[in-house]
Amino acid sequence: AQKVTQAQTEISVVEKEDVTLDCVYETRDTTYYLFWYKQPPSGELVFLIRRNSFDEQNEISGRYSWNFQKSTSSFNFTITASQVVDSAVYFCAPRSGNTPLVFGKGTRLSVIA
Amino acid sequence: DAEITQSPRHKITETGRQVTLACHQTWNHNNMFWYRQDLGHGLRLIHYSYGVQDTNKGEVSDGYSVSRSNTEDLPLTLESAASSQTSVYFCASSVGGSSYNEQFFGPGTRLTVL
């Protein structure tokens, strides 16, 4: 079984600041994927990224980057030069085999203009 | 375009009534899931299905049931609604067989039990 801890319940930053959202996971599986989802104020859940357990290279997509460190079981998400549109709840979720995603409690990010 | 829909989007009911929330997907996905979202708890898994006639209990299944008679639909039934079941309910689907595949979510149903 997997477990996810997103220790930051809420974060507030001023626009253009960088912000990192932490995710620590627990799993007994050697092969798994890690996902990040975004839930904007409108309520829908949007898939952002997946990363497999064999690939520890950092991923960068525009202003978003992800740092996966297997040694610390962390898969952190950084937003560079944050914008008001980044305000949302962000969820980290591991998945192994054909099992459902196990979600953390989420981190609510507020970006203030 | 393929999609996943939920109905109704909002529902108010009374304690003790049976309620059914509908979920319909047109991706032909084998896997379907129901989650509930409550403040401070994130998303918690209620039930899930890997195919027709298959159903499995999730973390918070008490008081809920599902049935899968076709690929497209996974209705969620609250047998006797309780105030503790006031929540936002999300349905999701994914391609089966691998942990690679992301789950696609419906827009959610906000249920209030008075």
Side-chain angles (χ1 to χ4, degrees), chain A residues 1-108:
Chain A
Q2 292 95 11
K3 182 181 175 183
V4 179
T5 301
Q6 294 182 257
Q8 305 149 307
T9 304
E10 294 190 34
I11 302 175
S12 287
V13 298
V14 177
E15 201 170 24
K16 298 184 183 177
E17 287 185 352
D18 298 347
V19 59
T20 295
L21 310 182
D22 298 331
C23 171
V24 175
Y25 63 92
E26 295 176 28
T27 180
R28 296 179 184 175
D29 300 307
T30 54
T31 303
Y32 52 89
Y33 278 84
L34 296 161
F35 294 79
W36 275 92
Y37 279 78
K38 173 182 180 179
Q39 186 177 38
S42 52
E44 72 273 22
L45 284 147
V46 179
F47 164 68
L48 292 177
I49 191 173
R50 96 188 97 231
R51 172 54 52 82
N52 75 53
S53 52
F54 295 105
D55 183 1
E56 290 192 64
Q57 287 187 15
N58 291 341
E59 175 102 9
I60 298 175
S61 176
R63 296 184 297 107
Y64 297 169
S65 63
W66 288 268
N67 184 297
F68 175 36
Q69 292 193 341
K70 215 168 179 178
S71 60
T72 56
S73 297
S74 65
F75 186 39
N76 297 336
F77 173 30
T78 297
I79 302 174
T80 302
S82 59
Q83 299 176 2
V84 172
V85 293
D86 295 326
S87 296
V89 181
Y90 291 87
F91 292 97
C92 174
R95 187 180 191 197
S96 61
N98 192 27
T99 58
L101 286 170
V102 176
F103 286 89
K105 293 184 179 181
T107 297
R108 181 177 300 276

Side-chain angles (χ1 to χ4, degrees), chain B residues 6-11 21-22 34 87-91 107-111:
Chain B
Q6 295 183 234
S7 62
R9 294 294 312 278
H10 302 270
K11 174 80 177 177
L21 308 182
W34 275 103
S87 186
V88 180
Y89 291 86
F90 287 97
C91 179
T109 293
R110 182 174 297 275
L111 176 68

